Amino acid sequence: MNHLILDIECYKNYFICGCYNLEKQVFRVVDCSNIARFSVYLHKFKPTLIGFNSLHYDLRLLSYFISNHKHEGIISELKQFSDYIIVGGDKNEIFDQYRWWNWTPQIDLKQVLGGRNCPSLKKIACRLNLPKVESLPIAPDKVLTDYEKTQILEYNKLDLINTKSLWDYCQPLLELRKSLTKSYGVNCLSLSDAQIAERIICRLVDFKPEPFDCTYPVMVKALLSEEINYDNPYLQAFEDKLLKTHVVFTKVWNPIKKSNGYKKHFLYGEEKIESFVLDIQPKLSFMLGG
């Protein structure tokens, strides 16, 4: 099976998807001139696509590029989509369709290393003592000259090299995820440790979490499988207190992302609290978190 490390650079007049084939150890640049052939290659050979923050950014852009590459203004559209992902904005039904990549296997190293809590690729490269680390040399809202395009191409190649080093570093973590995927039938390749635990436990107790509309207060409930009996003398007191507590979600405008988000707090009776402690032995403390 082929493994491709990929990284995308997007400007108003320039878009490239740099790829590094781990088996052949060769670089390749995908742009408007060869995206159709690249799409055929992906569908035929289904290589594993590897990246850093690729599930959220690179693969979504690549999916849009493949589906709409015949559009006359595709580069401009890709830039708008890139800004939509990074900055946010009004919900766009066209962009919102391209949420996930399901065509080929994928591994997002950022997710493996903790997702949102993971440092940037540049910080990781410094911590790994890699020989060269470079920030984006040209502002992302600039129209590039021909010379600046060559600079971005070299920057893209460096990011691919550093991602390859991170891939090598993550091999023990990835081998564990391959083993867990095989043992439990849950795809763990792009999951953090906490996500792996959640997915496997849900699989073992046959529990499927369902989404809910968080525009109103919802009851906090203990997620217990009927097939499992917890013989704990403190459990009843735990449930009595917990089931009287609500989590309230408040819609808040985010001026940076230009979109609405949700802040939440506990509501016990009419009292708004940020945390609470169950008055039982042993004491259990609860706070809002990830």
Side-chain angles (χ1 to χ4, degrees):
M1 178 185 293
N2 288 335
H3 293 76
L4 291 181
I5 297 176
L6 61 84
D7 183 58
I8 282 177
E9 311 299 340
C10 186
Y11 285 83
K12 294 178 180 178
N13 64 330
Y14 189 57
F15 180 92
I16 58 169
C17 176
C19 301
Y20 177 73
N21 189 307
L22 287 175
E23 285 72 27
K24 298 181 180 179
Q25 298 184 10
V26 295
F27 292 96
R28 180 182 183 184
V29 175
V30 178
D31 55 21
C32 290
S33 65
N34 56 8
I35 183 62
R37 295 196 303 273
F38 187 61
S39 175
V40 171
Y41 165 77
L42 292 177
H43 284 84
K44 182 176 181 179
F45 296 101
K46 297 189 181 302
T48 299
L49 301 182
I50 304 158
F52 186 89
N53 197 33
S54 54
L55 289 178
H56 178 68
Y57 183 76
D58 303 83
L59 290 177
R60 293 175 67 188
L61 280 175
L62 181 59
S63 175
Y64 188 90
F65 192 20
I66 291 174
S67 300
N68 302 281
H69 68 275
K70 294 183 180 180
H71 290 187
E72 183 176 349
I74 183 60
I75 302 299
S76 176
E77 291 179 26
L78 288 166
K79 176 58 177 171
Q80 292 178 43
F81 191 14
S82 175
D83 292 343
Y84 174 81
I85 295 173
I86 296 172
V87 181
D90 295 333
K91 184 175 181 180
N92 186 308
E93 293 182 357
I94 296 176
F95 290 160
D96 201 52
Q97 295 175 14
Y98 299 91
R99 297 180 62 87
W100 313 112
W101 177 275
N102 298 314
W103 301 349
T104 63
Q106 65 271 323
I107 298 176
D108 188 340
L109 298 178
K110 181 174 182 177
Q111 298 301 318
V112 172
L113 295 173
R116 291 183 179 182
N117 295 325
C118 178
S120 68
L121 180 62
K122 306 300 182 293
K123 289 183 178 179
I124 293 175
C126 291
R127 295 173 185 178
L128 292 177
N129 294 316
L130 299 184
K132 185 177 181 180
V133 180
E134 181 182 0
S135 297
L136 187 67
I138 303 170
D141 60 344
K142 194 175 186 300
V143 177
L144 301 184
T145 63
D146 289 342
Y147 174 70
E148 288 172 333
K149 290 178 181 179
T150 63
Q151 288 182 290
I152 294 301
L153 186 62
E154 289 302 313
Y155 167 78
N156 179 266
K157 184 176 180 180
L158 177 61
D159 264 3
L160 291 173
I161 293 172
N162 289 347
T163 304
K164 165 64 168 60
S165 298
L166 180 58
W167 164 261
D168 294 336
Y169 174 81
C170 288
Q171 282 309 300
L173 299 174
L174 293 169
E175 289 300 322
L176 173 62
R177 281 157 173 74
K178 290 178 183 178
S179 177
L180 292 172
T181 298
K182 183 177 180 180
S183 298
Y184 294 99
V186 177
N187 187 350
C188 302
L189 293 179
S190 288
L191 299 180
S192 66
D193 293 350
Q195 290 172 327
I196 291 173
E198 177 190 17
R199 302 287 176 86
I200 290 178
I201 290 174
C202 287
R203 171 63 63 88
L204 292 177
V205 301
D206 195 26
F207 171 75
K208 296 181 179 180
E210 297 182 359
F212 59 89
D213 183 358
C214 54
T215 60
Y216 58 88
V218 296
M219 188 73 74
V220 179
K221 294 184 179 180
L223 302 177
L224 302 178
S225 170
E226 295 179 357
E227 299 178 359
I228 301 177
N229 180 25
Y230 290 90
D231 185 14
N232 189 319
Y234 307 108
L235 181 58
Q236 188 59 49
F238 166 77
E239 287 186 328
D240 290 344
K241 180 81 173 184
L242 191 62
L243 293 179
K244 293 178 182 177
T245 304
H246 293 73
V247 174
V248 178
F249 295 82
T250 305
K251 184 176 288 188
V252 178
W253 173 257
N254 187 322
I256 297 178
K257 294 186 175 181
K258 298 181 181 179
S259 61
N260 287 313
Y262 289 93
K263 288 190 176 181
K264 48 189 180 294
H265 60 267
F266 287 117
L267 187 66
Y268 184 61
E270 297 182 355
E271 181 184 2
K272 179 179 177 180
I273 54 178
E274 297 300 327
S275 64
F276 64 87
V277 179
L278 297 180
D279 189 18
I280 59 175
Q281 296 296 330
K283 289 187 176 182
L284 299 175
S285 298
F286 286 82
M287 297 187 70
L288 292 169

